[in-house]
Amino acid sequence: MSFDLRRLVPPSVPESEIGEELDADVVVVGAGISGLMAAYGAAERGARVRVVERHTRYNLRGAQLNPGPGARLFEEAGIEVDYEEAVREELELAGYRPDPRLWRLWLENSRAAVDRLLEVAARHGVRPYLLAWRTNPEDPYGKYPRPTYKFNPEAPEGMFDRLGPALEDELRRMGVEFHYRTRALRLVRYDGRISGVIAVREGEDGGSHVRFRARRGVVLCTGDYSSNVELMRLWAPPEAARMAEDPYGVIYRLITPTNTGDGHLMALWEGADVDESPHVPLYTLAPEGRNPGRARELYWRPDGPSKTLGLHSNPFLFVNEEGARFTNEALPYSWLVNRVVQQPNFRYWVVFDSRWEEDVARHGDGLGRRLSPNVVENYREVGRRFLETAMEDGAAVKADTLEELASGMGVPRDRFLGTVRRYNELVARGVDEDFGKPSAYLSPIRDPPFYAVRGRAVILVMLSGLKVDTRLRVLDRSGNPIPGLYAAGNASGGFFALYYSMHTLPGISHGRAVTFGYLAGRNAAEGA
């Protein structure tokens, strides 16, 4: 099904339907982390700021923040990160398709932007914690995640939304006005310059239209478009577009389904340009049982069973729905996810036997094959809880024979048995002749009971957007800035290409959002 180009026609809002007009120096559309930092950057420069957000409140999500060069916690821990090397690696992995000038902008300004954020957080009792990955020293890839920041000591990978209340409270004290449950519909252009936004207040009795006048500029921080299936068909890689057709294929659509590309479309209607397709998806792996809509609740809550040990991503034997092995299961996480995405229906099974506890102690868990303190201390308990939850949810099967296991998995029995037989032969030889998995991760499947955990690839977010220059001004199709229009976060582009590398600079998506949001707001306030 093709994209309906008629959807690119901006909505018509007659003057007679605009019931209210509100003035501001800077209007920020979106209250995610980039939008809140844009509001902060503008208010810090003395601008009167209004934030327009479609959701019922601020809309932060995610886990980690990469602070960039000069991070205080890194220095205190004696950790050195060669960011020049890391950025080169990012650009190389993306074939140098991203704009190196934007990466340089992040390198040179991340310290100041993150310091502002941490000052606000500290005043509200929220502090950063160092997430320094403890990795398996025997892993041959050397693709361990570099350190990053998190904001919840109880959750090993963060919980970024703790910053929401702190930032909102600080911004209100600075005079920033918030307009929640208000959806921006189109930009206002006057005398060639973007000078405001027309929006609709969404209420139980319908909506009322309001025009927000922006004397200095509008900053689009509306997030990505992964909840808009038609835009996914237009811009995303074909496999991501197919994934978005599934009601459970976009994980954040289940939590906050308001990321429908509103900022992208509003800018397009004013002649803006976007990154060349296919755009960049960020995938992750999730257990899949009878209740895929409850995956976050069942497995990823702060006290959930996969908060440190998710047996759906450990480097045991992976087979697809046809019972065939398809990858080196010990690949760095981002690469492993890419292999899963290529499988039928984006699904797979992880197969292991009763000796899984011994194997996990040897090869670690998850992203970068880390050995986190919790895994080292009580991984057996956490793994058992994971299996219990997964079996109750229908995401795991347990059997006394491989034949029974194949039946429970619903895969072709003969092919599956042949796959396991071949895998055990390779384990016995100590050399993976089929996919090259290092011998440290080769574990036989021979001692009952046998287990299989079902997983699938899902989309977290799309990371491409409007073309911007180094002042975060949105560019038109001739490469010229559109006066008065700025973009940051996942509404902006030029920073990623091909795929998102989780192991190179964890938290860089949030790092970009914090830094570029802050800079965009400041530039809008100054008319830069």
Side-chain angles (χ1 to χ4, degrees):
M1 182 175 180
S2 62
F3 181 75
D4 185 354
L5 294 178
R6 291 173 295 181
R7 290 285 301 276
L8 291 179
V9 177
S12 176
V13 182
E15 285 289 326
S16 60
E17 294 185 9
I18 298 177
E20 187 176 13
E21 302 210 21
L22 298 172
D23 289 333
D25 295 318
V26 175
V27 174
V28 177
V29 185
I33 187 60
S34 64
L36 296 179
M37 288 302 296
Y40 187 87
E44 190 182 52
R45 295 301 188 275
R48 183 180 183 185
V49 182
R50 293 185 186 272
V51 177
V52 178
E53 169 57 53
R54 183 179 172 186
H55 197 45
T56 56
R57 61 168 194 165
Y58 48 82
N59 191 12
L60 280 72
R61 59 196 189 190
Q64 306 162 36
L65 167 65
N66 198 294
R72 176 178 55 83
L73 293 185
F74 292 2
E75 294 176 348
E76 291 176 357
I79 295 174
E80 295 184 6
V81 177
D82 187 339
Y83 273 95
E84 294 287 347
E85 178 186 358
V87 168
R88 283 196 300 272
E89 185 176 348
E90 285 276 2
L91 291 171
E92 288 169 357
L93 287 171
Y96 268 85
R97 289 184 61 189
D99 188 342
R101 296 169 297 181
L102 294 178
W103 278 91
R104 181 60 49 186
L105 184 70
W106 175 73
L107 278 174
E108 294 175 352
N109 292 276
S110 59
R111 174 69 183 266
V114 171
D115 280 352
R116 296 292 190 280
L117 173 62
L118 297 185
E119 289 167 5
V120 172
R123 286 195 287 271
H124 293 78
V126 179
R127 55 169 291 192
Y129 296 85
L130 176 66
L131 179 54
W133 304 88
R134 292 177 59 184
T135 50
N136 188 340
E138 297 181 3
D139 189 284
Y141 292 101
K143 296 295 183 184
Y144 303 140
R146 293 175 173 89
T148 185
Y149 280 5
K150 61 178 182 176
F151 291 89
N152 185 346
E154 302 302 322
E157 294 187 7
M159 298 297 114
F160 204 64
D161 54 2
R162 296 189 72 194
L163 295 169
L167 280 167
E168 183 190 53
D169 184 66
E170 185 81 9
L171 290 169
R172 289 188 185 278
R173 295 185 187 202
M174 297 171 76
V176 174
E177 298 175 65
F178 287 83
H179 301 268
Y180 291 133
R181 295 178 62 87
T182 303
R183 182 178 185 178
L185 298 177
R186 60 174 299 175
L187 298 168
V188 176
R189 188 191 284 258
Y190 179 76
D191 198 22
R193 181 180 182 84
I194 301 300
S195 57
V197 176
I198 294 176
V200 59
R201 298 189 189 278
E202 299 177 338
E204 295 179 0
D205 300 325
S208 60
H209 291 92
V210 56
R211 176 162 36 217
F212 294 91
R213 298 186 184 274
R215 284 184 287 267
R216 304 184 194 175
V218 173
V219 186
L220 297 176
C221 298
T222 48
D224 81 320
Y225 57 87
S226 57
S227 292
N228 187 325
V229 174
E230 289 185 306
L231 288 183
M232 291 292 288
R233 293 173 185 147
L234 180 66
W235 289 325
E239 61 271 18
R242 292 197 305 273
M243 200 178 293
E245 301 278 353
D246 187 324
Y248 304 110
V250 180
I251 193 165
Y252 283 128
R253 184 166 56 196
L254 304 173
I255 307 167
T256 52
T258 53
N259 282 24
T260 52
D262 292 359
H264 296 68
L265 289 172
M266 287 191 295
L268 280 174
W269 295 329
E270 298 301 327
D273 201 2
V274 295
D275 286 338
E276 287 75 16
S277 59
H279 285 179
V280 181
L282 170 54
Y283 301 116
T284 192
L285 301 179
E288 183 177 47
R290 288 184 295 271
N291 302 296
R294 297 182 60 205
R296 185 170 184 261
E297 171 191 346
L298 289 174
Y299 302 101
W300 290 326
R301 63 185 188 274
D303 63 340
S306 67
K307 66 177 183 177
T308 55
L309 179 59
L311 291 172
H312 64 288
S313 60
N314 267 70
F316 297 110
L317 170 65
F318 277 38
V319 300
N320 58 26
E321 290 184 328
E322 298 170 353
R325 190 181 178 210
F326 58 89
T327 189
N328 166 2
E329 299 88 350
L331 289 173
Y333 189 80
S334 297
W335 303 349
L336 181 63
V337 174
N338 287 341
R339 289 298 304 136
V340 172
V341 168
Q342 304 305 313
Q343 303 312 303
N345 300 313
F346 320 111
R347 290 174 172 87
Y348 67 102
W349 290 91
V350 183
V351 183
F352 48 91
D353 69 7
S354 61
R355 300 166 62 91
W356 66 266
E357 297 176 15
E358 177 183 324
D359 294 328
V360 169
R362 178 166 47 85
H363 59 55
D365 166 55
L367 182 61
R369 305 279 81 84
R370 67 183 182 271
L371 294 173
S372 73
N374 191 67
V375 169
V376 172
E377 294 169 7
N378 68 336
Y379 71 91
R380 290 179 173 85
E381 174 191 344
V382 175
R384 290 166 187 160
R385 288 175 54 208
F386 177 92
L387 284 175
E388 289 171 1
T389 301
M391 284 189 284
E392 291 173 0
D393 181 43
V397 177
K398 178 182 179 181
D400 291 326
T401 68
L402 290 171
E403 289 81 0
E404 292 173 354
L405 191 70
S407 177
M409 295 163 63
V411 299
R413 190 185 73 166
D414 291 344
R415 171 171 277 190
F416 174 72
L417 294 177
T419 296
V420 175
R421 184 165 53 250
R422 170 64 176 170
Y423 185 70
N424 282 337
E425 291 172 356
L426 298 173
V427 173
R429 296 177 195 170
V431 179
D432 182 3
E433 299 171 353
D434 294 347
F435 292 97
K437 180 157 72 172
S439 58
Y441 299 108
L442 292 172
S443 304
I445 301 170
R446 65 188 180 201
D447 297 323
F450 302 105
Y451 299 90
V453 177
R454 180 168 54 194
R456 64 165 296 171
V458 294
I459 297 169
L460 278 173
V461 69
M462 295 298 297
L463 294 162
S464 302
L466 301 166
K467 290 189 177 181
V468 295
D469 63 11
T470 54
R471 295 182 183 178
L472 289 313
R473 298 177 298 186
V474 176
L475 302 178
D476 65 19
R477 295 181 188 105
S478 298
N480 300 313
I482 299 175
L485 186 60
Y486 303 79
N490 290 330
S492 66
F495 203 74
F496 299 104
L498 302 182
Y499 77 104
Y500 183 92
S501 174
M502 292 187 183
H503 57 259
T504 309
L505 283 173
I508 188 58
S509 178
H510 285 130
R512 169 182 76 145
V514 167
T515 301
F516 288 2
Y518 175 72
L519 293 177
R522 186 184 67 182
N523 292 342
E526 296 176 348

